[in-house]
Coordinates of all heavy atoms in Angstrom, one line a residue:
S979 N -3.4 -42.3 6.9 CA -4.4 -41.9 5.9 C -3.8 -41.4 4.6 O -4.4 -41.5 3.5 CB -5.4 -40.9 6.5 OG -4.7 -39.6 6.7
E980 N -2.5 -40.8 4.7 CA -1.8 -40.4 3.6 C -1.6 -41.5 2.6 O -1.8 -41.3 1.4 CB -0.5 -39.7 3.9 CG -0.2 -38.3 3.7 CD -1.1 -37.4 2.8 OE1 -0.9 -37.6 1.6 OE2 -2.0 -36.9 3.3
F981 N -1.2 -42.7 3.0 CA -0.9 -43.8 2.3 C -2.2 -44.4 1.6 O -2.3 -44.7 0.4 CB -0.3 -44.9 3.0 CG 1.2 -44.6 3.4 CD1 1.4 -44.0 4.6 CD2 2.2 -44.7 2.5 CE1 2.8 -43.7 5.0 CE2 3.5 -44.4 2.9 CZ 3.8 -43.9 4.1
A982 N -3.4 -44.3 2.4 CA -4.5 -44.8 1.9 C -5.0 -44.0 0.8 O -5.6 -44.4 -0.2 CB -5.5 -44.9 3.1
K983 N -4.8 -42.6 1.0 CA -5.2 -41.7 -0.1 C -4.6 -41.9 -1.4 O -5.2 -41.8 -2.5 CB -4.9 -40.3 0.4 CG -5.5 -39.1 -0.4 CD -5.3 -37.8 0.1 CE -5.7 -36.8 -0.9 NZ -5.4 -35.3 -0.4
K984 N -3.2 -42.2 -1.3 CA -2.5 -42.5 -2.5 C -3.0 -43.8 -3.2 O -3.2 -43.7 -4.5 CB -1.0 -42.7 -2.2 CG -0.2 -41.5 -1.7 CD 1.2 -41.8 -1.3 CE 2.0 -40.5 -0.9 NZ 3.4 -40.9 -0.4
R985 N -3.4 -44.7 -2.4 CA -3.9 -45.9 -3.0 C -5.2 -45.6 -3.7 O -5.5 -45.9 -4.9 CB -4.2 -47.0 -2.0 CG -2.9 -47.6 -1.4 CD -3.2 -48.7 -0.4 NE -3.5 -49.9 -1.0 CZ -2.8 -51.1 -0.8 NH1 -1.8 -51.1 -0.1 NH2 -3.1 -52.2 -1.4
S986 N -6.1 -44.8 -3.1 CA -7.4 -44.5 -3.5 C -7.3 -43.7 -4.8 O -8.1 -43.9 -5.8 CB -8.3 -43.7 -2.5 OG -8.5 -44.5 -1.4
N987 N -6.2 -42.8 -4.9 CA -6.1 -42.0 -6.2 C -5.8 -43.0 -7.3 O -6.3 -42.7 -8.4 CB -5.0 -41.0 -6.0 CG -5.4 -39.9 -5.1 OD1 -6.6 -39.6 -4.8 ND2 -4.4 -39.2 -4.5
C988 N -5.0 -44.0 -7.1 CA -4.6 -44.9 -8.1 C -5.9 -45.7 -8.5 O -6.2 -46.0 -9.8 CB -3.5 -45.8 -7.6 SG -2.0 -45.0 -7.5
Y989 N -6.7 -46.1 -7.6 CA -7.9 -46.9 -7.9 C -8.8 -46.1 -8.8 O -9.5 -46.6 -9.6 CB -8.7 -47.3 -6.6 CG -7.8 -48.2 -5.7 CD1 -8.1 -48.2 -4.3 CD2 -6.8 -49.0 -6.2 CE1 -7.4 -49.0 -3.5 CE2 -6.0 -49.8 -5.3 CZ -6.3 -49.7 -3.9 OH -5.6 -50.6 -3.1
Q990 N -8.9 -44.8 -8.5 CA -9.8 -43.9 -9.4 C -9.3 -44.0 -10.8 O -10.2 -43.9 -11.6 CB -9.8 -42.5 -8.8 CG -10.5 -42.3 -7.5 CD -11.9 -42.8 -7.5 OE1 -12.7 -42.5 -8.5 NE2 -12.4 -43.5 -6.6
L991 N -8.1 -44.1 -11.0 CA -7.6 -44.2 -12.3 C -8.1 -45.4 -13.1 O -8.4 -45.4 -14.3 CB -6.1 -44.1 -12.5 CG -5.4 -42.7 -12.0 CD1 -3.9 -42.9 -12.1 CD2 -5.9 -41.6 -12.7
V992 N -8.1 -46.5 -12.3 CA -8.7 -47.8 -12.9 C -10.1 -47.6 -13.2 O -10.6 -48.0 -14.3 CB -8.5 -49.0 -11.8 CG1 -9.0 -50.3 -12.5 CG2 -7.0 -49.1 -11.5
L993 N -10.9 -47.0 -12.3 CA -12.3 -46.8 -12.6 C -12.5 -45.8 -13.9 O -13.3 -46.1 -14.6 CB -12.9 -46.1 -11.4 CG -12.9 -47.0 -10.1 CD1 -13.6 -46.3 -9.0 CD2 -13.4 -48.4 -10.3
E994 N -11.7 -44.9 -13.9 CA -11.8 -43.9 -15.1 C -11.5 -44.8 -16.4 O -12.2 -44.5 -17.4 CB -10.7 -42.8 -15.1 CG -11.1 -41.7 -14.0 CD -10.1 -40.7 -13.8 OE1 -9.0 -40.7 -14.6 OE2 -10.1 -40.0 -12.7
S995 N -10.5 -45.6 -16.3 CA -10.2 -46.5 -17.5 C -11.4 -47.4 -17.9 O -11.8 -47.5 -19.0 CB -9.0 -47.3 -17.2 OG -7.8 -46.5 -17.0
L996 N -12.0 -48.0 -16.8 CA -13.1 -48.9 -17.0 C -14.3 -48.1 -17.6 O -15.0 -48.6 -18.5 CB -13.5 -49.6 -15.8 CG -12.6 -50.6 -15.2 CD1 -13.0 -51.1 -13.7 CD2 -12.3 -51.8 -16.0
N997 N -14.5 -46.9 -17.1 CA -15.6 -46.1 -17.6 C -15.4 -45.7 -19.1 O -16.3 -45.6 -19.9 CB -15.7 -44.8 -16.7 CG -17.0 -44.1 -16.9 OD1 -18.0 -44.7 -16.9 ND2 -16.9 -42.7 -17.2
S998 N -14.1 -45.4 -19.4 CA -13.7 -45.0 -20.7 C -14.0 -46.1 -21.7 O -14.5 -46.0 -22.8 CB -12.2 -44.6 -20.8 OG -11.8 -44.4 -22.1
F999 N -13.6 -47.3 -21.3 CA -13.7 -48.5 -22.2 C -15.3 -48.8 -22.4 O -15.7 -49.2 -23.5 CB -13.0 -49.7 -21.6 CG -11.5 -49.6 -21.6 CD1 -10.7 -50.0 -20.6 CD2 -10.8 -48.9 -22.7 CE1 -9.3 -49.8 -20.6 CE2 -9.5 -48.8 -22.7 CZ -8.7 -49.2 -21.6
E1000 N -16.0 -48.6 -21.3 CA -17.4 -48.9 -21.4 C -18.1 -47.9 -22.4 O -19.0 -48.3 -23.1 CB -18.1 -48.8 -19.9 CG -19.4 -49.4 -19.9 CD -19.9 -49.6 -18.4 OE1 -19.3 -49.0 -17.6 OE2 -20.9 -50.4 -18.3

Side-chain angles (χ1 to χ4, degrees):
S979 63
E980 245 344 277
F981 291 95
K983 185 178 179 184
K984 288 178 182 178
R985 291 179 82 118
S986 295
N987 290 339
C988 292
Y989 300 153
Q990 287 304 316
L991 295 182
V992 181
L993 302 183
E994 287 173 15
S995 297
L996 294 175
N997 195 54
S998 171
F999 293 141
E1000 195 169 14

